[in-house]
């Protein structure tokens, strides 16, 4: 089934192994074959991955987009283990991501990765204010 994609001015898009950036005007096109793609709003670059869960998400992007995923899957497992040891409350979320990966539903795993980042942000928001409030003035 064809998929119409509308791009905002200068919006990025990854289709398979190709990175595309739109020009100065809105554009639309149709993908006529089944292929993997990510819109700019779904992309986190390695340089933007400044937390453990964002780094995990970068690995999920690779696993979703490329055919040879062995190294990325090993990296995912190692980092996921470290995250769960440091923050056990993330274990159920990471397990759900792993289940989707194992069943071949990699895009759904990627979506759960975004939710994991939001959960991490909430955890950090609870920790950071508490630690700065207890510091002497």
């Amino acid at each position: 089934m064809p998929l119409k994609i509308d791009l905002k001015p200068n919006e990025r898009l990854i289709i398979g192994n190709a990175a595309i950036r739109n020009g100065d005007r809105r554009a639309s096109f149709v993908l006529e074959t089944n292929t993997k793609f990510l819109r700019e709003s779904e992309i986190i670059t390695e340089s933007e991955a400044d937390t453990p869960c964002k780094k995990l998400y970068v690995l999920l992007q690779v696993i979703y987009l490329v055919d040879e995923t062995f190294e990325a899957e090993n990296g995912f497992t190692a980092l996921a283990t470290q995250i769960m040891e440091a923050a056990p409350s993330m274990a159920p979320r990471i397990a759900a991501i792993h289940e989707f990966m194992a069943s071949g539903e990699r895009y759904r795993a990627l979506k759960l990765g975004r939710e994991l980042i939001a959960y991490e942000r909430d955890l950090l928001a609870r920790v950071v204010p508490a630690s700065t409030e207890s510091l002497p003035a």
Side-chain angles (χ1 to χ4, degrees), residues 2 4 10 19 22-23 45 47 49 59 71 79 84 89 93 96 108-109 118:
K4 181 180 178 184
N10 301 307
N22 191 22
T45 63
S47 62
L59 290 168
E71 285 183 43
L79 183 54
M84 289 186 293
S89 66
R93 290 168 171 80
R108 290 185 73 188

Side-chain angles (χ1 to χ4, degrees), residues 14-53:
I14 296 175
I15 301 175
N17 292 331
I20 298 168
R21 182 174 298 276
N22 191 22
D24 296 340
R25 299 180 188 165
R26 292 186 71 82
S28 65
F29 60 93
V30 176
L31 293 176
E32 294 183 341
T33 60
N34 187 12
T35 189
K36 301 171 190 172
F37 70 94
L38 291 176
R39 299 184 70 100
E40 184 168 13
S41 62
E42 299 171 311
I43 300 169
I44 295 178
T45 63
E46 285 186 59
S47 62
E48 295 169 336
D50 57 357
T51 69
C53 290

Side-chain angles (χ1 to χ4, degrees), residues 59-66 69 72-73 76 101 106:
L59 290 168
L60 286 170
Q61 289 175 142
V62 172
I63 292 167
Y64 170 68
L65 289 170
V66 303
T69 63
E73 288 178 6
F76 172 87
M101 287 174 41
R106 293 179 174 168

